[in-house]
Amino acid sequence: VARQRNAKGCYIERGAHPKEKEISQWLHVHEESEFAFGEVATAQVQVATQFNKCDSNCKDALCKDVIGGVDEIREACANLVAGLPPSFREDVRADAESIAIVCMRACPGVPWVTLRLEIVQYNACWRWHQDAYVGRAIVSYVGPGTYTAEDQAVRWDRLHEETNESSVPHESVKQMETNSVLIMKGDSWPNICGKGLVHKSPAVYGTNPPKRLILKVDLNTFQPQLDFEDGSDEDGEEEEDYDEDQTSIHGDENKMALKRLASSEGFKTAKAWKVRRR
């Protein structure tokens, strides 16, 4: 489904995570503020030398020029979860590995795969937006899931408003269930029809929103800088700074606003982007 040109993404519903209790207990004693921008751990793998714009049937030898593969992904996922409790470490590792491999196969030739584990509570992107990178898979192991919208439901003239909640009617919002795997296309997905999937962080109210433990697997055309290394922002080519939760509120509202303006207008005819599988 993700390879279809006019699909903006797909999702898989899996029910509650079998280690939901253990993950919740761990979250209870950890705060988003303990980690730079909430990032518990990150890992990267360069899996190809170039970003090819060909489809999956391309016969060009350059499209097969792969650097990293399954072994490198496996090692990166082991490093990603090294700091998690043993009670659910292997579950998250295996999940990250399988999702990363699925993403690589869905869009072959993308040179960089970046994996992140994040605690998200206050530091989230509440506005409807689209992403500029190639693609992302996102899982909320605990806590509410991402909000998404079909192109035909979006009021494009309102998407650029500072508070753009009204750009998607309430009845058109699709929320991912906890532990669902959502694969989203970004603007740079090859041969995408229009731009990326419109989405946002889940709406939460009050002064104490629920914590979420999130896994993100990103496909990038260039090497993104890892925030935790030096506390700097990931500007680059606006890779994932328009995204669902990675868009960090760094105390610079002008920069934050710029990140979130990678939105397209007028895509009224895209077909359904989602698929459900149990």
Side-chain angles (χ1 to χ4, degrees):
V1 171
R3 290 176 177 172
Q4 296 175 10
R5 182 174 180 269
N6 54 1
K8 295 302 178 73
C10 57
Y11 66 90
I12 303 165
E13 291 182 344
R14 310 188 292 181
H17 195 281
K19 299 295 180 64
E20 183 178 40
K21 180 180 179 181
E22 290 87 342
I23 296 172
S24 297
Q25 290 173 340
W26 181 81
L27 273 179
H28 182 70
V29 297
H30 290 283
E31 300 295 335
E32 180 184 71
S33 57
E34 294 178 32
F35 307 94
F37 313 121
E39 291 186 350
V40 177
T42 61
Q44 286 181 338
V45 180
Q46 186 177 5
V47 295
T49 57
Q50 69 170 23
F51 177 55
N52 81 77
K53 303 246 182 220
C54 306
D55 60 30
S56 58
N57 296 317
C58 178
K59 305 300 183 183
D60 191 332
L62 287 176
C63 294
K64 311 302 181 186
D65 193 3
V66 173
I67 297 175
V70 173
D71 289 342
E72 287 76 15
I73 290 290
R74 183 174 294 118
E75 180 180 358
C77 292
N79 293 333
L80 182 74
V81 304
L84 294 180
S87 59
F88 60 90
R89 181 187 303 156
E90 176 57 22
D91 297 79
V92 176
R93 187 211 62 78
D95 210 27
E97 178 183 325
S98 61
I99 292 171
I101 292 171
V102 165
C103 290
M104 290 168 57
R105 291 174 177 170
C107 193
V110 178
W112 288 96
V113 176
T114 302
L115 302 102
R116 304 175 190 269
L117 279 174
E118 298 179 4
I119 296 175
V120 178
Q121 187 173 18
Y122 303 100
N123 185 20
C125 186
W126 312 114
R127 298 182 71 255
W128 289 104
H129 61 281
Q130 297 158 296
D131 297 328
Y133 51 68
V134 178
R136 159 172 291 173
I138 183 167
V139 182
S140 181
Y141 290 120
V142 173
T146 306
Y147 280 12
T148 63
E150 303 248 13
D151 278 5
Q152 56 266 35
V154 179
R155 297 165 176 165
W156 297 101
D157 59 329
R158 303 183 185 183
L159 197 63
H160 296 289
E161 295 176 356
E162 184 175 354
T163 302
N164 67 355
E165 188 71 25
S166 64
S167 60
V168 177
H170 178 73
E171 62 273 14
S172 299
V173 175
K174 170 64 182 178
Q175 183 175 18
M176 297 296 103
E177 293 185 2
T178 302
N179 197 40
S180 292
V181 180
L182 169 63
I183 300 177
M184 303 184 290
K185 289 184 180 180
D187 297 350
S188 299
W189 190 283
N191 301 315
I192 189 173
C193 180
K195 292 193 174 182
L197 177 69
V198 175
H199 63 284
K200 67 187 289 292
S201 293
V204 292
Y205 304 98
T207 58
N208 188 32
K211 294 180 190 177
R212 293 182 289 157
L213 178 62
I214 291 176
L215 169 68
K216 298 175 182 175
V217 180
D218 294 340
L219 300 175
N220 308 103
T221 58
F222 64 99
Q223 182 179 12
Q225 186 172 350
L226 300 182
D227 280 348
F228 77 89
E229 290 178 343
D230 61 4
S232 63
D233 192 17
E234 296 185 48
D235 287 326
E237 297 179 29
E238 297 296 344
E239 164 253 337
E240 54 192 16
D241 283 309
Y242 322 127
D243 65 16
E244 193 267 339
D245 286 309
Q246 176 58 32
T247 301
S248 299
I249 301 174
H250 297 167
D252 184 341
E253 297 205 355
N254 290 330
K255 184 181 292 185
M256 181 174 65
L258 287 172
K259 292 174 185 175
R260 296 172 179 171
L261 290 179
S263 302
S264 56
E265 297 182 6
F267 301 113
K268 313 283 190 183
T269 59
K271 292 183 180 178
W273 60 270
K274 54 184 180 288
V275 61
R276 302 173 71 164
R277 186 173 77 212
R278 292 189 183 274

